[in-house]
Amino acid sequence: LGLGDYANTSYPRGLAALVNDVPERYAVIDAGTNSIKFHVGERDRDGRWQTVVDRAELTRLGEGLADHGTILDAAIERTEAKRHGVRAIAAVGTAGLRRAANANDVLEAIHKRTGLRVEVISGEEEGRLAYLAAKAGLGLRTGSLVVFDTGGGSSQFTFGHDAIVDE
């Protein structure tokens, strides 16, 4: 999907999983303005993705952002994700981290606590990923689709057809 840096959680665990023929399991974290979305999926023997964990946790990471322009320490303390035996994690940050004056401090705090590097993505990339997720989740391979993604800090309308985002 074009996500750059992800954390390999454990080389020994990954090797053991390969030897023992354990399904590949991966996690995606979306650090939004009001919630953290956490999804773990694995491929079955036929290569299809199966959901293992899919949840959202209200963290209010953007609490005080409009008033102060920064993400408050109390909000940082509420924001964490648990690992579920995954081989790798891709983590993205959206509107709250795009706008916060102290975004670099928050990203460093997350990295220190979890070992994860959160990639702050643009609104356009956020819309593109939401479009691809909606297409995959609905099982749509062809045809036109409009996806409306509303979050705590931004909203996107994404128009596309097949696997191509038009606008």
Side-chain angles (χ1 to χ4, degrees), residues 2-167:
L3 297 174
D5 199 16
Y6 66 85
N8 184 325
T9 59
S10 171
Y11 287 106
R13 192 178 329 156
L15 288 172
L18 285 172
V19 169
N20 296 323
D21 200 27
V22 174
E24 295 179 23
R25 195 176 268 190
Y26 298 93
V28 178
I29 300 171
D30 176 350
T33 305
N34 283 322
S35 65
I36 299 291
K37 294 175 187 81
F38 182 64
H39 184 89
V40 175
E42 67 183 19
R43 288 193 187 268
D44 65 18
R45 295 194 190 286
D46 296 324
R48 291 180 305 247
W49 284 103
Q50 304 294 320
T51 297
V52 176
V53 176
D54 190 21
R55 72 170 203 249
E57 186 113 4
L58 183 63
T59 58
R60 298 185 319 273
L61 184 64
E63 178 183 39
L65 184 59
D67 297 332
H68 308 289
T70 61
I71 292 176
L72 304 175
D73 289 341
I76 295 169
E77 293 301 316
R78 288 192 300 264
T79 304
E80 62 184 84
K82 296 179 180 177
R83 296 185 180 142
H84 290 265
V86 300
R87 292 188 187 184
I89 300 172
V92 298
T94 56
L97 288 169
R98 285 195 293 267
R99 286 190 306 216
N102 66 335
N104 288 337
D105 295 335
V106 172
L107 295 171
E108 187 56 34
I110 291 169
H111 179 67
K112 278 184 175 177
R113 288 188 66 186
T114 67
L116 293 175
R117 293 264 182 221
V118 176
E119 181 180 345
V120 179
I121 59 174
S122 69
E124 292 80 14
E125 181 67 356
E126 186 177 354
R128 183 184 80 83
L129 292 173
Y131 176 83
L132 293 173
K135 292 283 282 192
L138 294 170
L140 302 175
R141 297 195 194 289
T142 60
S144 296
L145 182 68
V146 177
V147 175
F148 176 62
D149 179 19
T150 185
S154 68
S155 297
Q156 295 84 26
F157 279 98
T158 306
F159 302 85
H161 67 282
D162 303 335
I164 299 167
V165 172
D166 297 317
E167 180 181 347

